[in-house]
mmCIF file of all heavy atoms in Angstrom:
data_model
loop_
_atom_site.group_PDB
_atom_site.id
_atom_site.type_symbol
_atom_site.label_atom_id
_atom_site.label_comp_id
_atom_site.label_asym_id
_atom_site.label_seq_id
_atom_site.Cartn_x
_atom_site.Cartn_y
_atom_site.Cartn_z
ATOM 1 N N GLU A 69 106.130 117.884 89.006
ATOM 2 C CA GLU A 69 104.790 117.377 89.720
ATOM 3 C C GLU A 69 103.640 117.890 88.957
ATOM 4 O O GLU A 69 102.631 117.204 88.921
ATOM 5 C CB GLU A 69 104.969 117.947 91.191
ATOM 6 C CG GLU A 69 106.111 117.471 92.001
ATOM 7 C CD GLU A 69 105.987 115.866 92.474
ATOM 8 O OE1 GLU A 69 106.170 115.096 91.517
ATOM 9 O OE2 GLU A 69 105.765 115.608 93.536
ATOM 10 N N LEU A 70 103.546 119.053 88.454
ATOM 11 C CA LEU A 70 102.455 119.662 87.841
ATOM 12 C C LEU A 70 102.282 118.792 86.484
ATOM 13 O O LEU A 70 101.036 118.427 86.215
ATOM 14 C CB LEU A 70 102.699 121.115 87.456
ATOM 15 C CG LEU A 70 102.654 122.091 88.626
ATOM 16 C CD1 LEU A 70 102.951 123.497 88.102
ATOM 17 C CD2 LEU A 70 101.116 122.129 89.094
ATOM 18 N N LYS A 71 103.222 118.490 85.809
ATOM 19 C CA LYS A 71 103.160 117.517 84.627
ATOM 20 C C LYS A 71 102.583 116.240 85.080
ATOM 21 O O LYS A 71 101.740 115.703 84.316
ATOM 22 C CB LYS A 71 104.591 117.296 84.020
ATOM 23 C CG LYS A 71 104.988 118.594 83.298
ATOM 24 C CD LYS A 71 106.430 118.356 82.621
ATOM 25 C CE LYS A 71 106.876 119.694 82.039
ATOM 26 N NZ LYS A 71 108.225 119.598 81.605
ATOM 27 N N ASP A 72 102.932 115.679 86.052
ATOM 28 C CA ASP A 72 102.541 114.435 86.566
ATOM 29 C C ASP A 72 100.940 114.423 87.025
ATOM 30 O O ASP A 72 100.202 113.609 86.634
ATOM 31 C CB ASP A 72 103.229 113.801 87.809
ATOM 32 C CG ASP A 72 104.513 113.280 87.437
ATOM 33 O OD1 ASP A 72 104.896 113.070 86.280
ATOM 34 O OD2 ASP A 72 105.379 113.030 88.428
ATOM 35 N N LEU A 73 100.676 115.528 87.596
ATOM 36 C CA LEU A 73 99.189 115.758 88.008
ATOM 37 C C LEU A 73 98.373 115.917 86.748
ATOM 38 O O LEU A 73 97.288 115.497 86.780
ATOM 39 C CB LEU A 73 99.133 117.011 88.966
ATOM 40 C CG LEU A 73 99.634 116.666 90.352
ATOM 41 C CD1 LEU A 73 99.711 118.051 91.143
ATOM 42 C CD2 LEU A 73 98.848 115.609 91.097
ATOM 43 N N GLU A 74 98.903 116.614 85.794
ATOM 44 C CA GLU A 74 98.137 116.762 84.476
ATOM 45 C C GLU A 74 98.009 115.497 83.848
ATOM 46 O O GLU A 74 96.919 115.119 83.297
ATOM 47 C CB GLU A 74 98.902 117.877 83.599
ATOM 48 C CG GLU A 74 98.026 118.223 82.422
ATOM 49 C CD GLU A 74 98.720 119.292 81.691
ATOM 50 O OE1 GLU A 74 99.967 119.506 81.781
ATOM 51 O OE2 GLU A 74 98.051 119.960 80.834
ATOM 52 N N LEU A 75 99.103 114.704 83.801
ATOM 53 C CA LEU A 75 99.078 113.332 83.115
ATOM 54 C C LEU A 75 98.089 112.424 83.803
ATOM 55 O O LEU A 75 97.297 111.640 83.057
ATOM 56 C CB LEU A 75 100.460 112.838 83.168
ATOM 57 C CG LEU A 75 100.634 111.357 82.510
ATOM 58 C CD1 LEU A 75 100.469 111.585 80.912
ATOM 59 C CD2 LEU A 75 101.986 110.962 82.853
ATOM 60 N N ASN A 76 97.816 112.650 85.096
ATOM 61 C CA ASN A 76 96.901 111.737 85.827
ATOM 62 C C ASN A 76 95.499 112.362 85.980
ATOM 63 O O ASN A 76 94.615 111.744 86.613
ATOM 64 C CB ASN A 76 97.441 111.369 87.180
ATOM 65 C CG ASN A 76 98.519 110.320 87.009
ATOM 66 O OD1 ASN A 76 98.324 109.209 86.711
ATOM 67 N ND2 ASN A 76 99.777 110.758 87.216
ATOM 68 N N GLY A 77 95.224 113.426 85.252
ATOM 69 C CA GLY A 77 93.839 113.855 85.228
ATOM 70 C C GLY A 77 93.396 114.703 86.370
ATOM 71 O O GLY A 77 92.181 114.896 86.621
ATOM 72 N N PHE A 78 94.277 115.271 87.278
ATOM 73 C CA PHE A 78 93.980 116.105 88.330
ATOM 74 C C PHE A 78 93.941 117.576 88.081
ATOM 75 O O PHE A 78 93.129 118.277 88.615
ATOM 76 C CB PHE A 78 94.881 115.834 89.481
ATOM 77 C CG PHE A 78 94.769 114.488 90.157
ATOM 78 C CD1 PHE A 78 95.795 113.600 89.880
ATOM 79 C CD2 PHE A 78 93.723 114.178 90.821
ATOM 80 C CE1 PHE A 78 95.694 112.285 90.504
ATOM 81 C CE2 PHE A 78 93.678 112.835 91.510
ATOM 82 C CZ PHE A 78 94.588 111.950 91.268
ATOM 83 N N ILE A 79 94.738 118.126 87.030
ATOM 84 C CA ILE A 79 94.808 119.471 86.767
ATOM 85 C C ILE A 79 94.764 119.574 85.231
ATOM 86 O O ILE A 79 95.156 118.636 84.482
ATOM 87 C CB ILE A 79 96.058 120.144 87.275
ATOM 88 C CG1 ILE A 79 97.353 119.651 86.800
ATOM 89 C CG2 ILE A 79 95.894 120.005 88.973
ATOM 90 C CD1 ILE A 79 98.511 120.405 87.209
ATOM 91 N N VAL A 80 94.641 120.833 84.846
ATOM 92 C CA VAL A 80 94.903 121.138 83.379
ATOM 93 C C VAL A 80 95.674 122.458 83.304
ATOM 94 O O VAL A 80 95.440 123.358 84.118
ATOM 95 C CB VAL A 80 93.484 121.299 82.532
ATOM 96 C CG1 VAL A 80 92.639 122.395 83.137
ATOM 97 C CG2 VAL A 80 93.732 121.452 81.045
ATOM 98 N N LYS A 81 96.624 122.543 82.348
ATOM 99 C CA LYS A 81 97.432 123.684 82.171
ATOM 100 C C LYS A 81 96.643 124.588 81.107
ATOM 101 O O LYS A 81 96.465 124.119 79.960
ATOM 102 C CB LYS A 81 98.791 123.253 81.797
ATOM 103 C CG LYS A 81 99.728 124.513 81.458
ATOM 104 C CD LYS A 81 101.161 123.958 81.098
ATOM 105 C CE LYS A 81 102.022 124.987 80.822
ATOM 106 N NZ LYS A 81 103.380 124.467 80.407
ATOM 107 N N TYR A 93 97.084 127.028 86.080
ATOM 108 C CA TYR A 93 96.727 125.677 86.323
ATOM 109 C C TYR A 93 95.370 125.648 87.011
ATOM 110 O O TYR A 93 95.102 126.395 87.879
ATOM 111 C CB TYR A 93 97.788 124.991 87.133
ATOM 112 C CG TYR A 93 99.136 124.935 86.402
ATOM 113 C CD1 TYR A 93 100.148 125.863 86.635
ATOM 114 C CD2 TYR A 93 99.449 123.864 85.653
ATOM 115 C CE1 TYR A 93 101.215 125.893 85.912
ATOM 116 C CE2 TYR A 93 100.738 123.935 84.947
ATOM 117 C CZ TYR A 93 101.601 124.912 85.162
ATOM 118 O OH TYR A 93 102.827 124.846 84.434
ATOM 119 N N LEU A 96 90.819 119.939 87.974
ATOM 120 C CA LEU A 96 89.723 119.318 87.281
ATOM 121 C C LEU A 96 88.774 118.586 88.326
ATOM 122 O O LEU A 96 89.215 118.270 89.536
ATOM 123 C CB LEU A 96 90.312 118.197 86.251
ATOM 124 C CG LEU A 96 91.055 118.721 85.083
ATOM 125 C CD1 LEU A 96 91.761 117.694 84.288
ATOM 126 C CD2 LEU A 96 90.148 119.593 84.235
#
Side-chain angles (χ1 to χ4, degrees):
E69 298 288 71
L70 287 168
K71 286 176 188 171
D72 285 350
L73 290 170
E74 187 174 18
L75 182 68
N76 284 292
F78 291 106
I79 66 171
V80 64
K81 180 179 181 179
Y93 296 88
L96 292 172

